[in-house]
Amino acid sequence: AQKITQTQPGMFVQEKEAVTLDCTYDTSDPSYGLFWYKQPSSGEMIFLIYQGSYDQQNATEGRYSLNFQKARKSANLVISASQLGDSAMYFCAMREGGYQKVTFGTGTKLQVIP
Amino acid sequence: NAGVTQTPKFRILKIGQSMTLQCTQDMNHNYMYWYRQDPGMGLKLIYYSVGAGITDKGEVPNGYNVSRSTTEDFPLRLELAAPSQTSVYFCASSPQGAPGQPQHFGDGTRLSIL
């Protein structure tokens, strides 16, 4: 079974619009963390945002926010006011098991249209 | 700050050859990881380590070996290279006891097996 599922292989969004990238996860560990990374075409992995399983509020970092619905085991990334530079692959990842193993989803390719 | 350094950046191997991908970090992180990323796909965990002398298998360990003799270094060994091991390999590290801290990634090693 997949630990992290990203069901949107590719998405388009108009510049300046908001976009939501979906992520669902599967774990029996009560303590876990969820991360979103951006990978531009140049290939590096850029950390965007983190949500802990015990965090009461949804995480926010600038234009990025995480819509965390624990009961549904979803951790969707919301990008507000999309910019051309947001075009990239986006990966959801989960850390569990005493914060050791980190597993990644298959990613969503976001393309921002002028 | 150097962060996580991977060498080489590119390599072409013949089937059956062996090689070692080097990874070193200067942040005194206890946790280190090796991932592979096939074209258009997410990152799959090969091996990880929680400290010097301690390593464990990830999702796709077959065909690889690792060692961790120091905190700084975490080399990945490919024995009897096969075309299926053509991929981009990422090394990452993160601090112990800080679940909200993201992984720090190297720039990757692009490996082709011909």
Side-chain angles (χ1 to χ4, degrees):
Chain A
Q2 291 291 326
K3 290 275 190 180
I4 295 283
T5 302
Q6 294 181 252
T7 57
Q8 305 153 312
M11 295 229 2
F12 291 91
V13 64
Q14 204 76 35
E15 193 178 7
K16 300 180 184 178
E17 297 291 313
V19 63
T20 297
L21 307 184
D22 294 341
C23 173
T24 57
Y25 59 92
D26 181 26
T27 181
S28 57
D29 193 332
S31 181
Y32 53 90
L34 297 156
F35 300 82
W36 277 92
Y37 289 85
K38 172 184 178 182
Q39 187 180 43
S41 58
S42 51
E44 71 269 29
M45 296 292 288
I46 302 169
F47 165 70
L48 297 178
I49 197 166
Y50 166 81
Q51 180 85 42
S53 60
Y54 294 121
D55 293 344
Q56 294 297 312
Q57 293 187 324
N58 288 343
T60 60
E61 290 285 348
R63 294 188 299 111
Y64 304 107
S65 60
L66 204 152
N67 184 1
F68 182 47
Q69 298 187 42
K70 193 171 182 177
R72 298 180 63 182
K73 293 189 175 180
S74 74
N76 299 338
L77 176 70
V78 181
I79 305 174
S80 62
S82 296
Q83 302 171 356
L84 296 178
D86 293 335
S87 294
M89 285 288 288
Y90 288 81
F91 293 101
C92 181
M94 177 172 64
R95 171 179 280 155
E96 57 178 342
Y99 311 118
Q100 298 169 4
K101 291 177 68 171
V102 180
T103 53
F104 283 74
T106 52
T108 295
K109 184 174 183 178
L110 177 67
Q111 297 185 63
V112 180
I113 304 167
Chain B
N1 288 338
V4 178
T5 302
Q6 292 183 238
T7 56
K9 294 191 183 304
F10 304 94
R11 185 73 185 267
I12 298 174
L13 281 182
K14 293 183 179 179
I15 295 171
Q17 287 185 322
S18 60
M19 77 163 293
T20 299
L21 280 64
Q22 301 291 345
C23 176
T24 187
Q25 52 93 7
D26 62 358
M27 297 171 284
N28 202 34
H29 287 171
N30 280 349
Y31 298 161
M32 294 189 75
Y33 307 81
W34 274 106
Y35 293 92
R36 60 176 287 173
Q37 184 179 28
D38 297 332
M41 302 296 288
L43 279 70
K44 292 187 177 180
L45 183 64
I46 306 172
Y47 272 95
Y48 67 102
S49 169
V50 301
I54 306 170
T55 63
D56 206 349
K57 295 178 180 179
E59 304 169 72
V60 290
N62 291 344
Y64 307 95
N65 279 300
V66 294
S67 60
R68 184 98 182 268
S69 57
T70 66
T71 299
E72 294 79 18
D73 300 308
F74 190 41
L76 177 71
R77 178 84 176 162
L78 277 73
E79 304 282 2
L80 297 175
S84 61
Q85 294 178 303
T86 293
S87 191
V88 179
Y89 291 83
F90 286 99
C91 180
S93 72
S94 61
Q96 182 181 5
Q101 288 296 314
Q103 293 171 301
H104 297 252
F105 283 85
D107 291 336
T109 293
R110 190 174 298 273
L111 181 64
S112 295
I113 315 294
L114 304 176

